[in-house]
Structures are given as structure tokens and as C-alpha cells.
Amino acid sequence: MRFQESLYPAWGQNFGQTRVLFEQQTDHQHLIIFENELFGRVMALDGVTQTTSRDEFIYHEMMVHVPLLTHPHPQRVLIIGGGDGGILREVCKHQTVEHITQVEIDASVVELCTQFFPNHSAGSFEDPRLTLTINDGAAFVHDCQDQFDVIIADSTDPIGPAEVLFETDFYRHCARLLTPSGILITQNGVPFLQGQELTNTYQRWRGLFETRSCYLTTVPTYVGGPMAMGFASHAPFSLPSIESLRSRSGTLGPLNYYTPAAHHGAFGLPGYVSALLVDSPTDG
Ligand code: SAM
């Protein structure tokens, strides 16, 4: 058996399936979890690879430690999506964090990933700092009156339930909920193949944030080259010194991808990615 990813009609990866562990049409999306000889356990939602037990550390460490080590003193964190628990696991490593709110639309993802990918959450769903809410992230931020230092939108791609997480209204509410040094991080796809999504996000952030940028990380099973992690902040852009990042990241315990040098290097954008971070010409 094989799993053929369906994100791009004209091209895509396919995995050998040594065993299908679970497959279900949930209330929100098609969910499959299977085993692959190279990547271990793999989860896909609506035909798109979401996470694998072998390369998840890359994505989760870079989605979390870049913003939380850039923010001077992150205490309140909001995670949108992230039902597999990988983002939460990494956020819990930060002792400055006093409160974590996580809003995931599909309870099945939390339940099944806790069962089939126990190392993703590694017990962090039991962390007393966590408030987990099953809800649409867009609806949550619309009604929320709290403030957060960091918001991480660990969503699926802008097709299906996650589409609302790429719209201006969602970003506007995130901007409202962030503290003065607050940072928003978004899963913004693979620019080589999904460049318009990154441009859309950049343009929709205009007027909402002082800083609009992204950084790149290559995750083997997010095919098509490096993926963009959108980076927006009410504060001017800052790249903490290597020494400061070394000192602060040294308190997080062992990391397998994040290093201060990787943090700095991730913001070194190649020309074709910088060219996507433009306001539409009609905007003047
Ligand atoms: N690492 C993956 C990636 O880069 O594509 C994302 C992983 S995580 C599994 C994505 C999560 O977003 C899923 O659990 C999905 O249920 C959740 N999600 C999708 N739309 C959502 C929404 N509108 N509100 C909250 N969670 C949502």
C-alpha cells in the first residue's frame, strides 16, 4: 500500500505504508495515521502530510523557540491548532511561560495523536499551565479578551477548516490580543510552491504589525523546499545576539534542531522568498 499526498495535483510525495494504524473522517477532516519505514509514524489530514515521528522536531523547535527566545520575557502563549501536541511540548520547556491557551478545532486529533504519537505531546497536555479548548481558532480570537505575548498558529494549509486562519479578520484579532512586544508566528507553507499564500499573509498583515517577515526551515516531509514561518510583531524586528540566545536556550534542555546559529540563519532569506514579501503594487 502507498499514501499519495494530494496537496499539489501536479506533483507530490508518496509514502510506503507498512501498516495503517487509524483512518477516519472526523467532524472536520479526513485523518489517517500510518507507519512508514523511513519516517516512522505519519499523520495526514485531508490528504496532506501533517507530521511524522522522525522529522517533527525540526518544525516544532523552530516554530516555538524562535519567537519565545526573541520575546524578552514570554509569559502567556496562545497556540492555535497544534492538535498533535508538538508545539505545546516545546512551549512547556520555557520556564518563563506561566499560562498556555491552546485552541484546536478537532478533538480527534488530540486524542489520536496522544495515543499514536505520544512523544509529540510527551505529557504536556497534562501541564497545569495549559487551558485546552476545542474550538475554531478564528471564532476564539474573535471573542477573546485576553492578552498574549506569543501566538503560534500551527494550522493545516488554507484549505478546509484552516482557511479562516489565513484571513485578515483572524490576523486583526491576533494583533489585538498581542502585548506591545507580542509576536505572531504562522505556518505559511513552502514558498517555492505556495508563494502566493506567503504574499497574502504579508499583505494582510499590513497596518496590523510593526514587523512583518518570515523565516525558513527545511522539514523533509513538507516537500518543495524550505517552509516559511510567518513572523509578525508589534515590536521592531530584533535578532537577539548569539550569546543571549545561547544563554537562554541553554535552559530548555536538549534540543535536536534549534541552535542560535540556526535561529540567525533562518532569517537569511533567498531572493525568491524576499520577493514574495511585497505589498500589492496598487497599494501605493
Ligand atoms: N505541522 C503541521 C503543518 O505544518 O501543516 C500542522 C500540524 S497540526 C496537526 C494542524 C492542526 O490545525 C490540526 O490539528 C487541525 O485540526 C488544526 N486546525 C485546522 N483548522 C483549524 C481551526 N480553524 N481552528 C483550530 N485548529 C484548526
Side-chain angles (χ1 to χ4, degrees), residues 43-110:
M43 177 176 73
L45 294 173
D46 285 341
V48 181
T49 310
Q50 295 299 307
T51 192
T52 84
S53 44
R54 183 156 178 215
D55 68 0
E56 59 87 6
F57 70 96
I58 301 171
Y59 173 83
H60 294 126
E61 288 186 18
M62 288 301 280
M63 281 283 281
V64 170
H65 303 314
V66 168
L68 269 74
L69 293 176
T70 298
H71 190 284
H73 193 71
Q75 294 176 283
R76 299 179 62 81
V77 176
L78 171 61
I79 302 168
I80 302 293
D84 54 67
I87 296 289
L88 175 62
R89 178 195 69 214
E90 294 303 312
V91 170
C92 286
K93 292 178 179 175
H94 290 258
Q95 294 315 310
T96 60
V97 172
E98 296 173 353
H99 193 81
I100 308 163
T101 301
Q102 180 160 2
V103 185
E104 162 58 55
I105 198 167
D106 195 336
S108 303
V109 177
V110 177

Side-chain angles (χ1 to χ4, degrees), residues 195-211:
Q196 189 56 50
E197 291 172 27
L198 181 59
T199 300
N200 291 344
T201 293
Y202 182 81
Q203 293 179 351
R204 291 168 186 169
W205 283 353
R206 188 176 186 182
L208 298 179
F209 299 99
E210 160 91 15
T211 295

Side-chain angles (χ1 to χ4, degrees), residues 97-202:
V97 172
E98 296 173 353
H99 193 81
I100 308 163
T101 301
Q102 180 160 2
V103 185
E104 162 58 55
I105 198 167
D106 195 336
S108 303
V109 177
V110 177
E111 288 153 23
L112 292 163
C113 287
T114 303
Q115 179 183 350
F116 290 107
F117 295 92
N119 296 332
H120 272 55
S121 51
S124 56
F125 282 122
E126 309 311 316
D127 192 300
R129 293 173 287 179
L130 173 65
T131 301
L132 175 63
T133 300
I134 301 303
N135 193 0
D136 169 12
F140 176 85
V141 296
H142 181 276
D143 300 335
C144 184
Q145 296 303 317
D146 288 340
Q147 286 272 282
F148 300 96
D149 297 310
V150 177
I151 299 176
I152 299 173
D154 176 27
S155 71
T156 40
D157 290 282
I159 46 179
E163 201 166 352
V164 290
L165 305 181
F166 293 79
E167 290 174 2
T168 304
D169 195 53
F170 173 73
Y171 295 142
R172 184 176 299 116
H173 285 294
C174 287
R176 173 178 62 84
L177 297 178
L178 282 172
T179 51
S181 299
I183 298 171
L184 167 65
I185 301 295
T186 55
Q187 183 283 103
N188 246 118
V190 170
F192 190 76
L193 297 169
Q194 299 168 290
Q196 189 56 50
E197 291 172 27
L198 181 59
T199 300
N200 291 344
T201 293
Y202 182 81

Side-chain angles (χ1 to χ4, degrees), residues 194-264:
Q194 299 168 290
Q196 189 56 50
E197 291 172 27
L198 181 59
T199 300
N200 291 344
T201 293
Y202 182 81
Q203 293 179 351
R204 291 168 186 169
W205 283 353
R206 188 176 186 182
L208 298 179
F209 299 99
E210 160 91 15
T211 295
R212 297 183 286 159
S213 185
C214 74
Y215 56 103
L216 301 179
T217 302
T218 299
V219 183
T221 53
Y222 299 157
V223 294
M227 79 169 296
M229 298 167 172
F231 182 102
S233 176
H234 288 323
F237 180 73
S238 90
L239 201 54
S241 71
I242 293 285
E243 295 69 32
S244 158
L245 292 172
R246 183 176 295 124
S247 162
R248 289 181 65 186
S249 61
T251 67
L252 303 178
L255 300 173
N256 297 308
Y257 187 91
Y258 180 91
T259 65
H263 181 144
H264 276 217

